[in-house]
Amino acid sequence: MGSGRNPAPGVAEQENTSARTARLTQFFDHMCDHVPVRTAYRCRTYPDQAQQAVLNRTFGCVRVVWNRTLAARQARWHMQDKTTSYAESDRALTAMKKDPDLAFLNEVSSVPLQQALRHQHKAFGVFFAGRARYPRFKSRRSRQCAHYTRSAFTMRGGQLRLAKISAALRYVWSWPDVDVGTLDPAMVIVSREPDGRWYVTFTVDAAAPVPPEDTGHAIGIDLGVTDFATTSDGNKIANQRHLERKARRLARYQRRMARCQKGSANCRKAAAKVARAHRKVRNARRDFLHRASTRLVRTADLIAIEDLPVRNMVRNRHLARAISDCGWGEFRRQLEYKCERYGRRLVVIDRWYPSSKTCSACGHLRADLSLSTRHWRCPSCSARHDRDINAAKNILAAGLAVARGSPGDACGADVRHSGFSRVRSAVKQEPRPASAGIPVLQGGE
Protein backbone atom coordinates (compact mmCIF):
# COMPACT_ATOMS: atom_id res chain seq x y z
CA MET A 1 0.00 0.00 0.00
CA GLY A 2 1.24 3.53 -0.73
CA SER A 3 2.28 5.76 2.12
CA GLY A 4 0.63 8.79 0.55
CA ARG A 5 3.89 10.74 0.18
CA ASN A 6 4.33 10.07 -3.56
CA PRO A 7 2.15 12.28 -5.79
CA ALA A 8 -0.25 10.83 -8.28
CA PRO A 9 1.23 10.03 -11.73
CA GLY A 10 -0.61 12.91 -13.39
CA VAL A 11 0.54 15.38 -10.78
CA ALA A 12 4.14 14.17 -10.98
CA GLU A 13 4.12 14.47 -14.77
CA GLN A 14 2.70 18.00 -14.51
CA GLU A 15 5.41 18.99 -12.02
CA ASN A 16 8.15 17.57 -14.25
CA THR A 17 6.74 19.45 -17.24
CA SER A 18 6.60 22.70 -15.27
CA ALA A 19 10.17 22.28 -14.05
CA ARG A 20 11.37 21.47 -17.57
CA THR A 21 9.56 24.53 -18.94
CA ALA A 22 11.12 26.73 -16.26
CA ARG A 23 14.60 25.42 -17.08
CA LEU A 24 14.08 26.00 -20.82
CA THR A 25 12.78 29.52 -20.17
CA GLN A 26 15.78 30.28 -17.98
CA PHE A 27 18.13 28.87 -20.65
CA PHE A 28 16.63 30.92 -23.48
CA ASP A 29 16.63 34.07 -21.33
CA HIS A 30 20.31 33.45 -20.63
CA MET A 31 21.01 32.95 -24.34
CA CYS A 32 19.12 36.11 -25.30
CA ASP A 33 21.14 38.11 -22.79
CA HIS A 34 24.34 36.98 -24.49
CA VAL A 35 23.32 37.44 -28.12
CA PRO A 36 25.92 39.79 -29.65
CA VAL A 37 24.83 42.98 -31.33
CA ARG A 38 26.72 44.30 -34.33
CA THR A 39 27.88 47.83 -33.50
CA ALA A 40 29.90 50.23 -35.67
CA TYR A 41 32.29 53.00 -34.60
CA ARG A 42 33.13 55.54 -37.31
CA CYS A 43 36.22 57.70 -36.75
CA ARG A 44 38.23 60.27 -38.66
CA THR A 45 41.50 58.88 -39.94
CA TYR A 46 44.57 60.72 -41.22
CA PRO A 47 46.65 58.50 -43.52
CA ASP A 48 50.03 59.79 -44.66
CA GLN A 49 50.98 60.21 -48.32
CA ALA A 50 52.22 56.63 -48.74
CA GLN A 51 49.12 55.20 -47.10
CA GLN A 52 46.86 57.39 -49.21
CA ALA A 53 48.58 56.11 -52.36
CA VAL A 54 47.98 52.47 -51.38
CA LEU A 55 44.38 53.12 -50.34
CA ASN A 56 43.60 55.08 -53.51
CA ARG A 57 45.04 52.22 -55.54
CA THR A 58 42.85 49.81 -53.59
CA PHE A 59 39.78 51.95 -54.25
CA GLY A 60 40.54 51.94 -57.95
CA CYS A 61 40.95 48.14 -58.03
CA VAL A 62 37.68 47.66 -56.16
CA ARG A 63 35.99 49.94 -58.67
CA VAL A 64 37.46 48.02 -61.63
CA VAL A 65 36.38 44.64 -60.23
CA TRP A 66 32.87 45.87 -59.46
CA ASN A 67 32.31 47.53 -62.86
CA ARG A 68 33.77 44.68 -64.92
CA THR A 69 31.81 42.06 -63.00
CA LEU A 70 28.60 44.08 -63.32
CA ALA A 71 29.12 44.55 -67.07
CA ALA A 72 29.82 40.83 -67.57
CA ARG A 73 26.77 39.93 -65.52
CA GLN A 74 24.54 42.20 -67.61
CA ALA A 75 25.98 40.93 -70.91
CA ARG A 76 25.45 37.30 -69.91
CA TRP A 77 21.86 37.99 -68.89
CA HIS A 78 21.00 39.78 -72.16
CA MET A 79 22.80 37.31 -74.46
CA GLN A 80 22.29 33.97 -72.69
CA ASP A 81 19.40 34.75 -70.33
CA LYS A 82 21.44 33.34 -67.43
CA THR A 83 22.27 34.72 -64.01
CA THR A 84 25.78 34.74 -62.54
CA SER A 85 26.48 33.06 -59.23
CA TYR A 86 29.06 34.20 -56.70
CA ALA A 87 31.31 31.22 -57.51
CA GLU A 88 31.31 32.18 -61.20
CA SER A 89 32.18 35.79 -60.43
CA ASP A 90 34.95 34.57 -58.12
CA ARG A 91 36.46 32.51 -60.95
CA ALA A 92 36.18 35.56 -63.21
CA LEU A 93 38.18 37.56 -60.65
CA THR A 94 40.94 34.93 -60.78
CA ALA A 95 40.98 35.23 -64.57
CA MET A 96 41.16 39.03 -64.29
CA LYS A 97 44.23 38.82 -62.08
CA LYS A 98 45.97 36.65 -64.70
CA ASP A 99 45.27 39.18 -67.46
CA PRO A 100 48.46 41.18 -68.20
CA ASP A 101 46.44 44.34 -68.70
CA LEU A 102 45.02 43.96 -65.17
CA ALA A 103 48.20 42.94 -63.42
CA PHE A 104 47.81 45.90 -61.04
CA LEU A 105 45.04 43.96 -59.26
CA ASN A 106 47.77 41.84 -57.64
CA GLU A 107 49.40 44.89 -56.06
CA VAL A 108 46.62 45.39 -53.50
CA SER A 109 45.02 43.15 -50.91
CA SER A 110 42.67 40.56 -52.36
CA VAL A 111 40.20 40.84 -49.46
CA PRO A 112 38.55 44.14 -50.56
CA LEU A 113 38.19 42.70 -54.07
CA GLN A 114 36.46 39.58 -52.75
CA GLN A 115 34.23 41.73 -50.57
CA ALA A 116 33.20 43.77 -53.62
CA LEU A 117 31.98 40.56 -55.27
CA ARG A 118 30.07 39.55 -52.14
CA HIS A 119 28.43 42.96 -51.91
CA GLN A 120 27.41 42.87 -55.57
CA HIS A 121 25.94 39.39 -55.16
CA LYS A 122 23.97 40.60 -52.13
CA ALA A 123 22.88 43.75 -53.99
CA PHE A 124 21.31 41.65 -56.74
CA GLY A 125 19.63 39.47 -54.13
CA VAL A 126 17.88 42.42 -52.48
CA PHE A 127 17.06 43.85 -55.93
CA PHE A 128 15.27 40.70 -57.04
CA ALA A 129 13.53 40.61 -53.65
CA GLY A 130 12.12 44.07 -54.41
CA ARG A 131 13.85 45.84 -51.51
CA ALA A 132 16.40 47.93 -53.45
CA ARG A 133 17.04 49.39 -56.88
CA TYR A 134 19.24 47.88 -59.58
CA PRO A 135 23.00 47.98 -58.76
CA ARG A 136 24.84 50.78 -60.54
CA PHE A 137 28.37 51.25 -61.81
CA LYS A 138 30.83 52.92 -59.43
CA SER A 139 32.30 56.33 -60.21
CA ARG A 140 35.61 57.74 -59.05
CA ARG A 141 33.89 61.00 -58.07
CA SER A 142 31.59 59.37 -55.52
CA ARG A 143 32.37 57.91 -52.09
CA GLN A 144 35.18 55.33 -52.20
CA CYS A 145 35.51 52.51 -49.68
CA ALA A 146 37.30 49.22 -49.09
CA HIS A 147 36.22 46.46 -46.68
CA TYR A 148 38.86 44.49 -44.78
CA THR A 149 37.99 41.30 -42.89
CA ARG A 150 40.03 39.79 -40.05
CA SER A 151 42.54 38.19 -42.42
CA ALA A 152 43.51 41.57 -43.90
CA PHE A 153 44.16 43.69 -40.79
CA THR A 154 45.56 43.48 -37.27
CA MET A 155 44.37 45.40 -34.22
CA ARG A 156 46.67 45.27 -31.20
CA GLY A 157 46.71 47.80 -28.40
CA GLY A 158 44.58 50.20 -30.40
CA GLN A 159 46.99 50.21 -33.37
CA LEU A 160 45.42 49.36 -36.72
CA ARG A 161 47.55 47.88 -39.50
CA LEU A 162 46.06 47.06 -42.89
CA ALA A 163 47.30 44.57 -45.46
CA LYS A 164 49.89 45.97 -47.91
CA ILE A 165 50.48 48.93 -45.52
CA SER A 166 53.39 48.63 -43.12
CA ALA A 167 52.79 51.61 -40.82
CA ALA A 168 49.85 51.85 -38.43
CA LEU A 169 46.89 53.93 -39.58
CA ARG A 170 46.40 57.03 -37.45
CA TYR A 171 42.82 57.75 -36.37
CA VAL A 172 40.98 59.69 -33.67
CA TRP A 173 38.91 57.73 -31.16
CA SER A 174 35.84 59.64 -29.98
CA TRP A 175 34.27 57.28 -27.39
CA PRO A 176 35.94 57.75 -23.99
CA ASP A 177 33.71 55.12 -22.35
CA VAL A 178 34.97 52.40 -24.75
CA ASP A 179 38.52 51.11 -24.35
CA VAL A 180 39.99 51.04 -27.84
CA GLY A 181 42.86 48.85 -26.60
CA THR A 182 40.49 45.94 -26.03
CA LEU A 183 38.57 46.46 -29.27
CA ASP A 184 38.25 43.30 -31.38
CA PRO A 185 36.62 44.38 -34.67
CA ALA A 186 35.15 41.84 -37.05
CA MET A 187 35.60 44.15 -40.05
CA VAL A 188 37.31 47.43 -40.84
CA ILE A 189 36.00 49.79 -43.54
CA VAL A 190 38.23 52.58 -44.86
CA SER A 191 36.44 55.25 -46.87
CA ARG A 192 37.15 58.58 -48.56
CA GLU A 193 34.31 61.04 -48.95
CA PRO A 194 33.96 63.34 -52.01
CA ASP A 195 35.00 66.30 -49.86
CA GLY A 196 38.39 64.68 -49.22
CA ARG A 197 37.86 63.48 -45.64
CA TRP A 198 39.01 59.99 -44.66
CA TYR A 199 37.13 57.71 -42.26
CA VAL A 200 37.66 54.30 -40.73
CA THR A 201 34.75 52.24 -39.41
CA PHE A 202 35.14 49.40 -36.89
CA THR A 203 32.31 46.84 -36.79
CA VAL A 204 32.25 45.04 -33.45
CA ASP A 205 30.12 42.22 -32.02
CA ALA A 206 29.22 43.82 -28.69
CA ALA A 207 27.01 42.57 -25.88
CA ALA A 208 23.34 43.46 -26.08
CA PRO A 209 22.55 46.62 -24.10
CA VAL A 210 20.46 46.40 -20.96
CA PRO A 211 16.88 47.30 -21.92
CA PRO A 212 15.51 50.32 -20.10
CA GLU A 213 12.66 50.05 -17.63
CA ASP A 214 9.11 50.01 -18.95
CA THR A 215 7.51 53.41 -19.01
CA GLY A 216 3.92 52.23 -19.39
CA HIS A 217 3.48 54.82 -22.11
CA ALA A 218 2.52 54.46 -25.79
CA ILE A 219 2.79 57.17 -28.40
CA GLY A 220 1.57 57.79 -31.93
CA ILE A 221 3.56 59.90 -34.40
CA ASP A 222 2.26 61.81 -37.40
CA LEU A 223 5.05 62.99 -39.73
CA GLY A 224 4.71 66.17 -41.74
CA VAL A 225 6.48 69.01 -43.50
CA THR A 226 5.26 72.03 -41.54
CA ASP A 227 6.19 70.24 -38.30
CA PHE A 228 8.55 67.31 -38.63
CA ALA A 229 6.55 65.17 -36.20
CA THR A 230 3.46 65.54 -34.04
CA THR A 231 2.89 63.13 -31.17
CA SER A 232 -0.38 61.92 -29.69
CA ASP A 233 0.59 63.72 -26.46
CA GLY A 234 0.16 67.05 -28.26
CA ASN A 235 3.88 67.79 -28.64
CA LYS A 236 5.27 69.01 -31.94
CA ILE A 237 8.85 68.61 -33.17
CA ALA A 238 9.76 71.53 -35.38
CA ASN A 239 11.10 70.91 -38.87
CA GLN A 240 14.68 72.16 -38.88
CA ARG A 241 14.80 72.57 -42.71
CA HIS A 242 18.53 71.90 -42.88
CA LEU A 243 18.81 72.04 -46.68
CA GLU A 244 16.69 75.17 -46.99
CA ARG A 245 18.98 77.09 -44.61
CA LYS A 246 22.05 76.17 -46.70
CA ALA A 247 20.37 76.41 -50.10
CA ARG A 248 21.73 79.85 -51.08
CA ARG A 249 25.32 79.00 -50.19
CA LEU A 250 25.05 75.62 -51.89
CA ALA A 251 23.66 77.22 -55.05
CA ARG A 252 26.57 79.69 -55.10
CA TYR A 253 29.11 76.87 -54.87
CA GLN A 254 27.35 74.95 -57.63
CA ARG A 255 27.38 77.98 -59.93
CA ARG A 256 31.13 78.36 -59.38
CA MET A 257 31.66 74.69 -60.19
CA ALA A 258 29.54 74.99 -63.35
CA ARG A 259 31.76 77.83 -64.63
CA CYS A 260 34.97 75.82 -64.20
CA GLN A 261 36.51 73.78 -66.97
CA LYS A 262 35.73 70.11 -66.45
CA GLY A 263 38.71 68.10 -65.26
CA SER A 264 40.71 71.12 -64.12
CA ALA A 265 42.16 71.67 -60.65
CA ASN A 266 39.75 74.54 -60.00
CA CYS A 267 36.83 72.27 -60.89
CA ARG A 268 38.01 69.69 -58.35
CA LYS A 269 38.32 72.40 -55.69
CA ALA A 270 34.83 73.71 -56.46
CA ALA A 271 33.42 70.17 -56.34
CA ALA A 272 35.05 69.65 -52.93
CA LYS A 273 33.32 72.82 -51.66
CA VAL A 274 29.96 71.54 -52.88
CA ALA A 275 30.61 68.20 -51.20
CA ARG A 276 31.54 69.92 -47.92
CA ALA A 277 28.31 71.94 -47.98
CA HIS A 278 26.29 68.76 -48.52
CA ARG A 279 28.23 67.02 -45.72
CA LYS A 280 27.29 69.76 -43.22
CA VAL A 281 23.62 69.48 -44.17
CA ARG A 282 23.74 65.68 -43.99
CA ASN A 283 25.45 65.61 -40.59
CA ALA A 284 23.07 68.19 -39.10
CA ARG A 285 20.05 66.23 -40.35
CA ARG A 286 21.41 62.92 -39.07
CA ASP A 287 22.17 64.40 -35.64
CA PHE A 288 18.65 65.83 -35.41
CA LEU A 289 17.06 62.50 -36.37
CA HIS A 290 19.19 60.57 -33.86
CA ARG A 291 18.24 62.92 -31.04
CA ALA A 292 14.53 62.81 -31.89
CA SER A 293 14.36 59.02 -32.31
CA THR A 294 16.37 58.35 -29.13
CA ARG A 295 14.12 60.64 -27.11
CA LEU A 296 11.01 58.80 -28.34
CA VAL A 297 12.44 55.33 -27.69
CA ARG A 298 13.38 56.31 -24.14
CA THR A 299 9.94 57.69 -23.29
CA ALA A 300 7.57 55.09 -24.82
CA ASP A 301 7.18 51.32 -24.78
CA LEU A 302 5.11 51.30 -27.98
CA ILE A 303 5.57 53.66 -30.92
CA ALA A 304 3.08 53.79 -33.79
CA ILE A 305 3.88 55.47 -37.12
CA GLU A 306 2.45 55.54 -40.62
CA ASP A 307 3.89 53.61 -43.56
CA LEU A 308 4.56 56.64 -45.73
CA PRO A 309 5.33 55.99 -49.44
CA VAL A 310 8.31 58.37 -49.53
CA ARG A 311 9.49 57.08 -52.90
CA ASN A 312 6.17 58.03 -54.48
CA MET A 313 5.79 61.29 -52.59
CA VAL A 314 9.09 62.74 -53.82
CA ARG A 315 7.77 62.51 -57.38
CA ASN A 316 5.76 65.62 -56.63
CA ARG A 317 8.07 68.32 -58.00
CA HIS A 318 6.56 70.94 -55.68
CA LEU A 319 7.28 69.01 -52.47
CA ALA A 320 10.20 66.76 -53.46
CA ARG A 321 12.92 68.93 -51.90
CA ALA A 322 10.98 69.57 -48.68
CA ILE A 323 10.14 65.88 -48.24
CA SER A 324 13.70 64.78 -48.95
CA ASP A 325 15.00 67.35 -46.48
CA CYS A 326 12.84 65.87 -43.71
CA GLY A 327 14.50 62.44 -43.83
CA TRP A 328 11.41 60.37 -43.01
CA GLY A 329 12.94 57.14 -44.31
CA GLU A 330 16.08 57.53 -42.19
CA PHE A 331 13.93 58.41 -39.17
CA ARG A 332 11.93 55.20 -39.54
CA ARG A 333 15.12 53.15 -40.00
CA GLN A 334 16.55 54.57 -36.78
CA LEU A 335 13.33 53.86 -34.90
CA GLU A 336 13.33 50.27 -36.18
CA TYR A 337 16.80 49.32 -35.03
CA LYS A 338 16.61 51.29 -31.77
CA CYS A 339 13.29 49.70 -30.80
CA GLU A 340 14.69 46.25 -31.60
CA ARG A 341 17.86 46.92 -29.62
CA TYR A 342 16.18 48.34 -26.52
CA GLY A 343 13.16 46.06 -26.34
CA ARG A 344 10.54 48.56 -27.52
CA ARG A 345 7.77 47.83 -30.02
CA LEU A 346 7.33 49.73 -33.27
CA VAL A 347 3.96 49.38 -35.03
CA VAL A 348 3.64 50.56 -38.63
CA ILE A 349 0.10 51.50 -39.69
CA ASP A 350 -1.12 51.04 -43.24
CA ARG A 351 -0.60 54.09 -45.43
CA TRP A 352 -4.26 54.14 -46.52
CA TYR A 353 -5.64 54.49 -43.02
CA PRO A 354 -7.49 57.89 -42.99
CA SER A 355 -5.94 59.17 -39.79
CA SER A 356 -6.36 62.87 -40.62
CA LYS A 357 -10.00 62.61 -41.70
CA THR A 358 -11.17 60.56 -38.72
CA CYS A 359 -12.38 62.14 -35.50
CA SER A 360 -10.26 60.77 -32.67
CA ALA A 361 -13.13 61.33 -30.21
CA CYS A 362 -16.07 59.60 -31.92
CA GLY A 363 -14.70 58.01 -35.10
CA HIS A 364 -16.63 60.14 -37.59
CA LEU A 365 -15.00 60.04 -41.04
CA ARG A 366 -15.06 63.17 -43.19
CA ALA A 367 -15.55 62.69 -46.89
CA ASP A 368 -12.90 65.27 -47.81
CA LEU A 369 -10.23 67.29 -46.02
CA SER A 370 -7.84 69.50 -47.96
CA LEU A 371 -4.20 69.87 -47.00
CA SER A 372 -4.73 73.56 -46.28
CA THR A 373 -7.22 72.76 -43.52
CA ARG A 374 -5.16 72.64 -40.33
CA HIS A 375 -8.08 72.72 -37.86
CA TRP A 376 -11.56 71.28 -38.23
CA ARG A 377 -14.67 70.61 -36.14
CA CYS A 378 -16.33 67.20 -36.08
CA PRO A 379 -19.94 67.47 -37.32
CA SER A 380 -20.92 64.46 -35.22
CA CYS A 381 -19.59 65.27 -31.71
CA SER A 382 -18.57 68.96 -32.23
CA ALA A 383 -15.01 68.24 -31.09
CA ARG A 384 -12.44 70.67 -32.50
CA HIS A 385 -9.22 69.08 -33.77
CA ASP A 386 -5.76 70.11 -34.72
CA ARG A 387 -5.20 68.15 -37.91
CA ASP A 388 -1.81 66.68 -36.95
CA ILE A 389 -2.59 65.96 -33.29
CA ASN A 390 -5.83 64.27 -34.30
CA ALA A 391 -3.95 62.11 -36.84
CA ALA A 392 -1.36 61.15 -34.21
CA LYS A 393 -4.11 60.08 -31.79
CA ASN A 394 -5.73 57.91 -34.47
CA ILE A 395 -2.36 56.37 -35.33
CA LEU A 396 -1.85 55.54 -31.66
CA ALA A 397 -5.30 53.96 -31.42
CA ALA A 398 -4.57 51.84 -34.50
CA GLY A 399 -1.18 50.86 -33.07
CA LEU A 400 -2.76 49.75 -29.79
CA ALA A 401 -5.24 47.68 -31.81
CA VAL A 402 -2.31 45.97 -33.53
CA ALA A 403 -0.66 45.34 -30.15
CA ARG A 404 -3.87 43.66 -28.94
CA GLY A 405 -3.92 41.49 -32.04
CA SER A 406 -7.27 42.72 -33.33
CA PRO A 407 -8.43 41.43 -36.73
CA GLY A 408 -8.03 43.97 -39.49
CA ASP A 409 -5.34 45.83 -37.62
CA ALA A 410 -3.08 46.08 -40.67
CA CYS A 411 -5.06 49.02 -41.99
CA GLY A 412 -5.90 50.54 -38.64
CA ALA A 413 -9.37 49.06 -38.41
CA ASP A 414 -11.18 47.90 -35.27
CA VAL A 415 -10.04 50.97 -33.36
CA ARG A 416 -12.13 51.84 -30.32
CA HIS A 417 -12.39 55.59 -29.75
CA SER A 418 -12.92 57.26 -26.42
CA GLY A 419 -16.53 57.74 -25.39
CA PHE A 420 -17.98 55.18 -27.83
CA SER A 421 -18.19 51.40 -27.49
CA ARG A 422 -19.08 50.52 -31.07
CA VAL A 423 -16.25 49.20 -33.26
CA ARG A 424 -16.62 48.93 -37.02
CA SER A 425 -14.14 47.14 -39.30
CA ALA A 426 -12.69 48.57 -42.49
CA VAL A 427 -12.73 46.80 -45.82
CA LYS A 428 -11.99 49.27 -48.57
CA GLN A 429 -10.55 52.76 -48.39
CA GLU A 430 -13.63 54.68 -49.56
CA PRO A 431 -15.76 56.74 -47.15
CA ARG A 432 -19.53 56.53 -46.83
CA PRO A 433 -21.88 58.36 -44.42
CA ALA A 434 -20.17 58.16 -41.06
CA SER A 435 -21.58 56.98 -37.76
CA ALA A 436 -20.17 56.55 -34.29
CA GLY A 437 -17.14 54.28 -34.16
CA ILE A 438 -14.09 54.07 -36.36
CA PRO A 439 -13.97 55.18 -40.01
CA VAL A 440 -16.44 53.09 -41.99
CA LEU A 441 -15.07 51.81 -45.29
CA GLN A 442 -16.81 50.12 -48.18
CA GLY A 443 -15.97 47.49 -50.70
CA GLY A 444 -15.08 43.86 -50.99
CA GLU A 445 -11.34 43.62 -50.42
Side-chain angles (χ1 to χ4, degrees), residues 55-90:
L55 291 173
N56 286 327
R57 193 179 305 119
T58 304
F59 296 154
C61 293
V62 169
R63 196 166 57 245
V64 167
V65 170
W66 174 281
N67 291 342
R68 283 178 173 264
T69 305
L70 181 58
R73 190 189 295 265
Q74 292 178 350
R76 186 183 186 191
W77 172 259
H78 290 299
M79 297 178 63
Q80 304 178 14
D81 201 19
K82 291 183 179 180
T83 59
T84 304
S85 64
Y86 171 74
E88 292 171 336
S89 61
D90 194 16

Side-chain angles (χ1 to χ4, degrees), residues 219-231:
I219 196 170
I221 303 174
D222 177 67
L223 300 177
V225 176
T226 305
D227 294 301
F228 172 75
T230 303
T231 66

Side-chain angles (χ1 to χ4, degrees), residues 22 121 175 323 340:
H121 183 71
W175 291 268
I323 293 175
E340 181 180 1

Side-chain angles (χ1 to χ4, degrees), residues 23-36:
R23 288 196 301 270
L24 288 173
T25 303
Q26 184 179 5
F27 171 75
F28 284 117
D29 289 343
H30 174 77
M31 292 298 294
C32 291
D33 292 339
H34 291 79
V35 172

Side-chain angles (χ1 to χ4, degrees), residues 48-156:
D48 56 28
Q49 294 297 326
Q51 293 171 341
Q52 288 186 21
V54 176
L55 291 173
N56 286 327
R57 193 179 305 119
T58 304
F59 296 154
C61 293
V62 169
R63 196 166 57 245
V64 167
V65 170
W66 174 281
N67 291 342
R68 283 178 173 264
T69 305
L70 181 58
R73 190 189 295 265
Q74 292 178 350
R76 186 183 186 191
W77 172 259
H78 290 299
M79 297 178 63
Q80 304 178 14
D81 201 19
K82 291 183 179 180
T83 59
T84 304
S85 64
Y86 171 74
E88 292 171 336
S89 61
D90 194 16
R91 289 193 292 268
L93 175 59
T94 304
M96 274 191 271
K97 287 187 174 183
K98 295 180 180 179
D99 188 350
D101 296 333
L102 301 176
F104 55 86
L105 295 178
N106 299 287
E107 300 176 2
V108 301
S109 174
S110 61
V111 172
L113 308 184
Q114 294 285 350
Q115 289 299 114
L117 297 181
R118 291 189 178 94
H119 293 158
Q120 187 174 121
H121 183 71
K122 184 178 179 180
F124 271 96
V126 296
F127 165 73
F128 288 119
R131 300 196 306 269
R133 59 184 178 183
Y134 190 83
R136 297 178 297 176
F137 291 95
K138 292 185 179 293
S139 169
R140 68 178 62 190
R141 291 186 295 272
S142 60
R143 176 178 179 268
Q144 307 294 315
C145 65
H147 294 67
Y148 294 84
T149 57
R150 294 182 186 271
S151 60
F153 72 89
T154 59
M155 186 79 174
R156 295 189 181 93

Side-chain angles (χ1 to χ4, degrees), residues 354-394 417 434 437 439:
S355 58
S356 299
K357 300 179 180 180
T358 305
C359 174
S360 59
C362 68
H364 176 85
L365 178 62
R366 291 190 53 164
D368 57 346
L369 186 67
S370 62
L371 287 174
S372 59
T373 305
R374 310 311 304 173
H375 297 83
W376 60 281
R377 186 180 296 277
C378 177
S380 177
C381 65
S382 300
R384 183 167 178 81
H385 297 294
D386 179 281
R387 178 194 182 98
D388 298 332
I389 297 178
N390 175 70
K393 290 180 179 179
N394 288 323
H417 294 271

